Every structure is written in C-alpha cells, then in structure tokens.
Amino acid sequence: MTTVFWPRCSAVHGCAGRAVEGSGGCLAHLAPDEFDRFVGSLRPGAEMDLRGVTVPPGLLDAVLRAVTGPDERPHLGRARFDRAVLPSGAALRGILVEGDSSFDGACFLGGASFYDARFLGNVSFRGVRFGRNVSFHGARFHRHASFEEAVFIGDALFGEVGWDADGSFRRAVFLGAACFDRARFGRDAAMQAASFGGPVSFKRVQVARHARLERARFRRGLWLGPLVAGGRIGLTDATAYGGLRVRAAARQVTGRGAVVHGEADFRLRHAELDLEGAVFDGRVSVSSLPRPLQGLTEPSWTGPTNVPERSGSGSQAARVTSLRRVDAAWIELSDVDLSGCGFLGLRHPDALRITGDCPFATAPRRSWRRHGRGHAVLADDLPPATGGPSPEDDDRLAALYGDLARASADSGRGRLARDFRYSELEKRRHSEPVPWRRWVLHLMWITCGYGLRTGRAIAWIAIIVALICSSATLLHDDNRHDAVRILHMSGGHS
C-alpha cells in the first residue's frame, strides 16, 4: 500500500491544505510536472489526505483514476477529507475505501455522487454540507456510518443502500427530497431530531433493530413503509405536517407526544402501538395487516405471546396499548387488540369508531357466573393488582364508559355498548355519594342488571311468578279447608 502524507501547506498559497511530501506546495498548488510525478506514484489502496484542501476541478478525478484497480473501482486506504472543499460534480461513484474515512465538516459546492460506493471501515460525514443533489444509491457501509448534523441542500438519494451496522442521521437537515427506499440497516436507523423539509420516503426498508425518528420534523408529511423493524419504531415527539402513514411490522411503535397536521394512518403487524399524548388535526385510523409485507423478511419473533388466537386475527394483530390524552377529532380502530389499551384522558371519546374484531379486557367473573361471558371493560379499570385505577379515577371512568357506550352504539356495536353502559353504572353504584341513589342503583343491579341483563330480569320474574303461584295455591288450599270445615259443621248441626 502506498502511503501519501502531506504536512501543512505553506501560508504563501493562502490555503489550509497540506503540502505533498518532497515538494514545496500543497496538492492543489503543484506545478504540472510535480503533479504528474505525484499521480504516477499512486497505486490502488493508497491513503488519501485532503484535509482542508480546496480541491480544484479535475484534481480529484485524476487522483481517483490513478488508484483505480483491475475491478475498475478506485481503491483507497484511509481517506481523510475533513474540512475539504470539493468541486461541483464531485464523482466518487464506485469508490472502495478499505480503511476508515472522514469527511467531517467538508463542503460539496455542487452535486456529488457516491453511487455504488463501498466503505469497509468506519465512515463519518458529520457536519458535511452538500450544496446540491447527492446520491448514495446502492452504496454499502460495512461498519458504523455517521451523517450527524449534515445538511443536504438538494435531494438526497439513499435508495438500496446497505448499512451492516448503524446508520446515524441525528440532527441532520434535509431541505430537498429524501429517499431511503429499499435500504437495509444492520442495526439502528438513527434519525433523532432530524429535519426533513421536502418529501421523504421509506418504502420497503428493513431495519434489524430500531428505527429511531424521535423528535424528527417532517414538513411535507411522512410515508413510512412498507417497513420491517426487529425492535421499535420511535416517533415520540415527532412532528409531521401533511400527514403520517405507517405501514410496518415491528415489536413496538411509539408515538407519544407526536403532533400530526393532517390525517394519520397506522397499518401494523405484531406491533404494540402507544400514542399517549399525541395530537392529530385530522382523522386517525389504526388497523392490523393480515399478511406479511411483500419483499421484506420478518424477524423470527411472532408478535406478543399473550395475545390469544381469535377468529379473524392471530398473533399478527396489532395491539394498541395507550390512547390516553390523545387529541383527535376522529379515531377509527379496526381489527386491533384493545385488551391492554388505556383510554383515560382521551379528549374526544365520542369520536371513537370501532370496527372488526377488537377485543377488550373482560371483568373478572363471579364464582356463580363462572361459565358465563364476562363483560368488556377498559384496561384502566382492571383490578389494582394488575395496575388498575385509583379510587379518584372512578368518576372519570364512569364518564368515559358513558361516552364510549354512545360511540359504540353509533358504530353499530350494540353488545359492546351494553357492556360499557353496564360498566358505567357499576362505577356509579360504587362511587355514588347520595345514599338513596346508591340504593336505587343497587336495586337495579340486583333485579335486572340495570336493565341490560335480561337473564337476571327473567330469573326475577320467574321467582316472582313462582311466589305468586305458591301464594295462590296456599290461599286456594286454605279456602278449601275452610269450606270443608263449614260443611262438616253444617252437617253436624242438622
């Protein structure tokens, strides 16, 4: 391997570049014959140090041609371009960097292409400024790759890029369109606090661990998916203008505190969805994806192990774990598991619409109803041993049950509406401060289950009829005995 080292450039050139060893000038200021000798000495695998150099047009192309190997790829050892200024149209397509490489603080004056590039070591583009469009399409990063705090003035293309480890874009700024279609992340896709000013697309993306978009901002909306993540998809405190669409398979999707201006659509497999405290300007819909995402490989896990198999949905069904304090004008839930979902604090419960197979938790059955169906309850209302409500939440739960009962009736789910109405009156029966009202509720519960348990009402009617019949029979027998006694007395007197 050829090692090329350049000490600091002399100040006479007015350049922060580095002088070529054995000459009096930096690489950007060599005389033609000196430059030819320097380029002639380069071999594939040479180390490149252009830190602080303002690279003139043609210089980079000449160096890359000199280090091109038999495979027609430019081969570099360690590459150092920190704070370099690279010309418009910088073409590093197909480059293969065998060692670590750094472009920290570099500036690309115009468009740049890293099409089909290969980075075998760690690579850092921290704080880089890309003046126009840049393409990493088909590139491969074999170790950690950082684009933290990079600024993309034009469009950024990362289609079909492969990261064998983490790909980090924390606090990066994308002013144009950003495309990550068919990208593969060997560990995390880290984009916390990134800003996307143009359209952004993550179609058919595979993430081995976590897709982290917490605190990210999307000015033109976000279309996330089809995407498969082995761990979590993080949208906590994210902001999306123009809508949000998530179509993904993952263990968990967290959108706590997210703000979406426009419609939001979540279509999920296996995932537990947490939207606590999120705010939506438009309609929100959440549904389960019954089939695997085409062209993507799901991890070996099969989703939550505590979700029972049900008709119409299996372990692939999404689970909603929290809608607490969600502010949305319309929420539609379809074929999702709601048995562990918290609803307390939901701002517009009357706007909730439930369709398809959406099981809720069931109340613990009494011993005398051991073989009966338990009525549906909210996870917030589970016994305290399993994380249930505190006594001060009873009034809020009663009001919430009432709102959900009306919303369920409007959705055509009469059975669920009756269960919620029953739970509402149960909460009021136990928390009603006025004694006579509490006794009325007790009487209604005992006699007819608040008018919602026909079996109990029929049983009481049967008991009352039996008592009436027994009383009538006894009265009839007494009358007969009296008549016989009178006859006997009359006969004896005559």
Side-chain angles (χ1 to χ4, degrees), residues 230-434:
R232 179 177 70 257
I233 298 174
L235 292 166
T236 299
D237 295 325
T239 302
Y241 296 87
L244 169 66
R245 293 173 178 83
V246 180
R247 188 181 181 194
R251 280 188 177 274
Q252 188 179 39
V253 178
T254 58
R256 289 192 166 208
V259 177
V260 179
H261 300 278
E263 295 188 355
D265 183 22
F266 297 88
R267 301 184 184 184
L268 306 174
R269 282 175 59 81
H270 309 300
E272 295 184 346
L273 176 63
D274 184 353
L275 295 177
E276 185 167 330
V279 178
F280 302 91
D281 284 354
R283 179 190 298 262
V284 182
S285 59
V286 182
S287 60
S288 294
L289 288 172
R291 299 182 183 85
L293 298 171
Q294 187 175 3
L296 297 172
T297 304
E298 293 185 356
S300 57
W301 47 260
T302 58
T305 58
N306 58 340
V307 178
E309 293 288 340
R310 304 180 302 273
S311 61
S313 62
S315 61
Q316 80 280 355
R319 301 182 66 214
V320 182
T321 60
S322 181
L323 292 175
R324 295 184 179 96
R325 301 191 304 280
V326 168
D327 189 351
W330 183 278
I331 304 176
E332 182 174 348
L333 307 175
S334 177
D335 293 317
V336 292
D337 187 349
L338 300 173
S339 60
C341 182
F343 288 86
L344 267 179
L346 181 63
R347 300 298 174 85
H348 303 287
D350 55 331
L352 186 66
R353 296 295 179 268
I354 300 171
T355 61
D357 184 11
C358 295
F360 283 81
T362 54
R365 297 182 176 115
R366 301 176 185 272
S367 58
W368 56 273
R369 297 183 60 201
R370 196 164 43 241
H371 303 293
R373 180 185 70 88
H375 65 277
V377 297
L378 302 180
D380 309 271
D381 197 18
L382 294 176
T386 58
S390 59
E392 56 268 22
D393 288 333
D394 283 346
D395 289 340
R396 297 170 61 203
L397 275 171
L400 178 60
Y401 272 126
D403 290 333
L404 292 179
R406 288 187 288 274
S408 300
D410 292 340
S411 301
R413 297 177 65 91
R415 184 173 180 177
L416 184 60
R418 289 191 297 272
D419 282 354
F420 284 156
R421 179 63 176 166
Y422 183 90
S423 296
E424 176 198 4
L425 294 171
E426 276 285 86
K427 302 306 294 183
R428 297 195 186 283
R429 179 169 69 92
H430 291 289
S431 61
E432 176 57 56
V434 181

Side-chain angles (χ1 to χ4, degrees), residues 32-116:
D33 56 337
E34 291 177 323
F35 181 77
D36 290 341
R37 286 196 301 271
F38 163 70
V39 170
S41 68
L42 296 178
R43 296 292 182 270
E47 294 188 0
M48 185 66 62
D49 189 340
L50 290 175
R51 286 178 291 173
V53 173
T54 299
V55 181
L59 184 150
L60 185 61
D61 292 340
V63 170
L64 293 178
R65 283 196 300 270
V67 297
T68 297
D71 57 358
E72 298 185 355
R73 285 182 180 273
H75 286 246
L76 292 176
R78 184 177 182 182
R80 304 162 83 177
F81 291 84
D82 305 69
R83 302 178 307 282
V85 179
L86 293 119
S88 179
L92 292 96
R93 61 177 63 89
I95 190 172
L96 191 153
V97 184
E98 298 169 356
D100 293 342
S101 53
S102 174
F103 293 79
D104 291 352
C107 178
F108 290 81
L109 297 177
S113 175
F114 288 83
Y115 176 84
D116 196 33

